[in-house]
Amino acid sequence: MKGKAYKLLMLLQGVLWLMLTLLSLWNDRASTPVLILMVLNAAAFIVLSFANLQRLLFKLAVPAFLLMNALLSVTDQMGAMDILVLVWDIALLVLSFLIIFHKQPN
């Protein structure tokens, strides 16, 4: 159940970032480098949604990525979308830790 929730929330976060990128492009609110970073962030969320959190690489990469995203969302202006992304990142971070450190029954 936690694995499906993690995958769904990561995919939705990726879609949210794609939508924010398109909105920023449409409204001409962001420079090209920022738009590229937003697309890369969306792609990372989508790719990491398929990660096996029991593998060491992903045990380290996923929490680091989510923590970085949470920290970056508070270093900028704090609008409604920043708060949404921050809460979402924290929820995903907690969920990923629950999955990573879940004890498998023998």
Side-chain angles (χ1 to χ4, degrees):
M1 180 69 174
K2 286 183 268 186
K4 289 181 182 180
Y6 164 82
K7 185 174 185 174
L8 178 64
L9 289 173
M10 289 290 281
L11 284 171
L12 289 174
Q13 180 86 305
V15 170
L16 173 68
W17 276 103
L18 286 175
M19 289 174 28
L20 289 173
T21 303
L22 292 173
L23 185 63
S24 295
L25 181 63
W26 180 266
N27 293 328
D28 199 26
R29 290 186 185 167
S31 64
T32 302
V34 171
L35 292 171
I36 291 170
L37 289 173
M38 291 171 75
V39 168
L40 290 174
N41 195 37
F45 271 106
I46 293 168
V47 168
L48 289 175
S49 72
F50 297 99
N52 178 356
L53 293 179
Q54 300 308 317
R55 296 188 65 198
L56 180 60
L57 171 67
F58 297 118
K59 282 183 179 182
L60 300 172
V62 169
F65 174 73
L66 292 169
L67 186 60
M68 176 197 65
N69 264 285
L71 291 174
L72 287 174
S73 69
V74 296
T75 60
D76 196 10
Q77 305 163 3
M78 285 300 288
M81 292 310 272
D82 294 300
I83 293 169
L84 171 67
V85 167
L86 177 63
V87 170
W88 206 327
D89 285 337
I90 291 170
L92 277 166
L93 190 59
V94 169
L95 187 57
S96 68
F97 275 113
L98 289 174
I99 294 169
I100 290 168
F101 295 110
H102 175 71
K103 300 271 187 200
Q104 295 293 335
N106 292 337

